[in-house]
Amino acid sequence: MMDWERRMLMPFKLLFFWIFWVLKGTQCEIPSVMVTCGFSQDCVLPCRFRPAGDEVIHWKKDSLHVHSYYHQADQLSNQDLQYNGRTALFKDQLLTLGNASLLLRHIKVQDKGRYQCSISTQMGSNESSVIVKVEAPVRSLDIEFTSMSGFEEVICSSRGIYPAPHIRWFTEPALLEPLKPTTRKTPDGQGLYSVDSRLKKLNIFSNYIYICAVNSLDGKQNWTASLKEQAIAGPEGQELAIPCVTPSKNLKNFILKWSFRSREKSSDILSYDSRSDTVLKQWQDAQVTKDSLLSGDGTLLLLNPKSTAHTGTYTCRYSVFETVLVIHTAVNITTPAGIIGRTEKESNTGVIIGVAISSLIVGALITAIVAVIIYRKRNKGKPTSPKNKQGGKDEEPAGESLQLNRLEE
């Protein structure tokens, strides 16, 4: 072959060898799929093959034996203890559908990782891998004021989450200076996280809104919880509206709860569940309008408020898809001025009458005491009548008796 021919064929040879190594490398790679499993739930790890008889199936995670099957039966003598009683194959689908998928029950955080499915039959062998991710999503979010640390804070918290989420704070209206929350993410014995984020209360103005945002690492969940304070007052006996309106547009499935707290007691007022369209009432003198609820207005009406019974803090809590709204309303029920004036007048009159009666009683006692003292002074040193000594009746001189009678008069 001439040199010029070799030079012309060289690029084709290089291309052939490159294609050969690419195909060879592709054949050596183990195909893998990714599966997300919910914490404490059952999960299926997929694996397929072409049935040909004498199937031998091994499931492993790194060096751990998860599940084995051969001689048409499960072989679990080498199974790692952490998988004991938690694995199964779909045996009715092995020979008919070539389904060697593994059922892994009651998923734990420790189950995450790469699993290998190895299968050999009369026709040969093949392998595949499954990457398992474990997820425990946010189920609820709480936001509240607290003073446990010695100063007032806003606390945002949730529990039973995996992996640990991101937490951000912001306010409405927004502040120019950055917020400085303190956030802790603590795993429990199962590997699930409890998150606790605290922000010092900003005493700028009363209608300040604190907002806590919790976002999952994969971006699938975006929870928000907001907290607001307000104050209103109303006269005793007149209907009073305590406002609570949610800005959320998703009102298909929501729960509204009203509660009350004062120095003397704490109690639930009512709750509404849109899924069952029912209002559970605790107070007979409070109500919400169901027609307004469907538009996000959960305003509470106090029908006949009393000063002592209804003065306190009312809390409205909206729970809708990934959104929590909490509003604290300080309510002061005032007594009308006329009643206050009449009460004070009656009280003053009672005091005056009491003082007059007391003065009369004291004057009478003083007069009686003076009369007794004068009487004793006039009879001091007078001789005792002989008849009196012998047990007879005293006979007083007429002059002295007359003077004593005049004195007594």
Side-chain angles (χ1 to χ4, degrees):
M1 183 178 291
M2 302 298 291
D3 290 340
W4 64 272
E5 292 177 338
R6 292 190 182 95
R7 286 195 296 270
M8 291 183 65
L9 291 173
M10 184 60 68
F12 294 99
K13 290 181 179 180
L14 293 175
L15 180 60
F16 173 78
F17 283 113
W18 181 81
I19 294 174
F20 172 79
W21 284 110
V22 169
L23 292 175
K24 185 177 180 180
T26 303
Q27 290 176 354
C28 293
E29 290 181 357
I30 300 176
S32 62
V33 295
M34 184 172 293
V35 175
T36 300
C37 301
F39 178 81
S40 78
Q41 299 178 2
D42 296 346
C43 193
V44 176
L45 283 55
C47 183
R48 296 280 181 172
F49 69 100
R50 181 176 296 177
D54 296 335
E55 286 78 12
V56 177
I57 303 172
H58 294 290
W59 275 96
K60 290 184 178 182
K61 180 189 175 187
D62 299 327
S63 60
L64 302 178
H65 290 271
V66 179
H67 196 102
S68 294
Y69 175 91
Y70 49 89
H71 299 326
Q72 299 181 355
D74 292 326
Q75 306 294 334
L76 305 178
S77 58
N78 294 327
Q79 185 182 52
D80 191 89
L81 291 177
Q82 65 177 294
Y83 296 102
N84 185 24
R86 298 173 54 219
T87 61
L89 298 177
F90 300 91
K91 297 178 184 178
D92 57 334
Q93 301 179 17
L94 281 174
L95 300 179
T96 57
L97 302 177
N99 183 8
S101 300
L102 179 71
L103 175 62
L104 185 56
R105 299 186 180 94
H106 197 70
I107 290 292
K108 303 177 181 179
V109 172
Q110 295 77 10
D111 292 332
K112 65 180 181 177
R114 182 184 292 272
Y115 291 75
Q116 293 82 34
C117 174
S118 302
I119 301 175
S120 64
T121 66
Q122 293 178 356
M123 297 294 294
S125 61
N126 67 291
E127 290 186 353
S128 63
S129 65
V130 179
I131 300 174
V132 173
K133 295 177 63 177
V134 178
E135 182 182 81
V138 179
R139 301 294 183 185
S140 63
L141 190 61
D142 294 319
I143 188 168
E144 192 53 83
F145 288 120
T146 179
S147 56
M148 296 295 291
S149 57
F151 49 86
E152 288 190 316
E153 294 178 309
V154 188
I155 179 173
C156 178
S157 61
S158 187
R159 290 169 176 77
I161 309 170
Y162 187 86
H166 295 299
I167 300 179
R168 297 178 297 112
W169 283 93
F170 53 99
T171 60
E172 289 184 1
L175 289 175
L176 297 178
E177 63 272 16
L179 300 174
K180 298 179 180 179
T182 301
T183 302
R184 293 179 296 180
K185 303 176 184 180
T186 308
D188 59 16
Q190 295 178 304
L192 303 180
Y193 284 91
S194 294
V195 295
D196 181 314
S197 188
R198 298 168 182 257
L199 181 69
K200 287 186 178 180
K201 187 177 179 181
L202 307 173
N203 296 316
I204 299 178
F205 45 86
S206 60
N207 61 343
Y208 215 64
I209 302 177
Y210 301 86
I211 302 174
C212 168
V214 177
N215 309 110
S216 60
L217 295 182
D218 57 10
K220 294 180 180 179
Q221 287 193 300
N222 298 284
W223 281 74
T224 59
S226 61
L227 179 60
K228 178 184 178 181
E229 282 186 307
Q230 59 188 16
I232 61 174
E236 190 174 56
Q238 294 186 17
E239 185 178 284
L240 179 66
I242 307 175
C244 179
V245 181
T246 175
S248 177
K249 298 180 181 180
N250 184 3
L251 294 174
K252 293 182 180 179
N253 297 303
F254 70 92
I255 297 175
L256 170 67
K257 292 184 178 180
W258 275 99
S259 59
F260 172 77
R261 185 182 73 253
S262 66
R263 293 182 180 180
E264 292 77 18
K265 64 176 182 178
S266 296
S267 62
D268 295 328
I269 300 175
L270 60 81
S271 64
Y272 174 78
D273 191 336
S274 66
R275 292 167 294 186
S276 59
D277 192 29
T278 56
V279 177
L280 300 178
K281 295 187 64 175
Q282 304 290 334
W283 284 15
Q284 297 299 321
D285 48 2
Q287 68 179 22
V288 293
T289 304
K290 291 181 65 176
D291 293 339
S292 300
L293 281 171
L294 299 178
S295 62
D297 186 354
T299 297
L300 181 73
L301 295 177
L302 294 181
L303 304 180
N304 186 25
K306 303 297 183 182
S307 176
T308 56
H310 297 108
T311 295
T313 300
Y314 292 77
T315 299
C316 162
R317 180 185 175 91
Y318 259 111
S319 300
V320 69
F321 177 72
E322 294 188 352
T323 303
V324 176
L325 170 67
V326 179
I327 300 178
H328 292 309
T329 305
V331 175
N332 181 27
I333 304 300
T334 59
T335 305
I339 296 177
I340 295 176
R342 185 170 66 251
T343 302
E344 291 178 352
K345 185 177 180 180
E346 291 173 354
S347 177
N348 293 335
T349 302
V351 171
I352 294 173
I353 294 174
V355 171
I357 294 174
S358 300
S359 300
L360 292 173
I361 294 174
V362 171
L365 289 174
I366 292 174
T367 302
I369 292 172
V370 170
V372 171
I373 292 173
I374 293 174
Y375 174 77
R376 289 184 176 180
K377 284 183 177 181
R378 288 185 176 277
N379 290 287
K380 186 177 181 181
K382 291 182 179 182
T384 305
S385 173
K387 291 184 179 180
N388 190 44
K389 289 182 181 181
Q390 296 176 4
K393 185 177 180 181
D394 292 340
E395 294 182 0
E396 295 180 355
E400 291 183 2
S401 177
L402 181 61
Q403 292 179 1
L404 180 58
N405 290 336
R406 289 177 179 177
L407 179 62
E408 290 177 351
E409 290 175 356

